[in-house]
Amino acid sequence: MNRLDLNPGHLAHHEDWEGEHAAFTCPACEKVFIVTGALHDGERACPNCGKCMGHVQGRRESGGAAWLEWE
């Protein structure tokens, strides 16, 4: 399983994270999608291909975590 952790102090051009909301780019199909900690226990699969899963736990400014997993 591959994993990419968002660095809250240095987000890449294709990433964003504000509060408990994070935007990821699917490594399989390049669809940009949003994951929020307030819905679905903070997990969401790519809505286009389903080949990756985005996760958000907590808020960016208070030491939370956001990451993307895929095969």
Side-chain angles (χ1 to χ4, degrees):
M1 179 75 61
N2 295 298
R3 179 173 167 146
L4 171 69
D5 290 279
L6 271 59
N7 179 340
H10 184 68
L11 295 171
H13 181 71
H14 60 279
E15 303 167 340
D16 198 9
W17 185 8
E18 185 65 34
E20 62 180 14
H21 312 287
F24 299 97
T25 301
C26 177
C29 71
E30 299 184 348
K31 167 76 174 169
V32 174
F33 66 103
I34 297 169
V35 180
T36 181
L39 297 172
H40 313 292
D41 294 322
E43 297 182 346
R44 185 177 181 210
C46 173
N48 187 54
C49 71
K51 294 183 178 179
C52 69
M53 180 73 71
H55 302 267
V56 177
Q57 291 180 344
R59 300 177 64 84
R60 175 183 177 189
E61 59 274 8
S62 60
W67 69 96
L68 188 65
E69 294 180 335
W70 69 98
E71 292 291 329

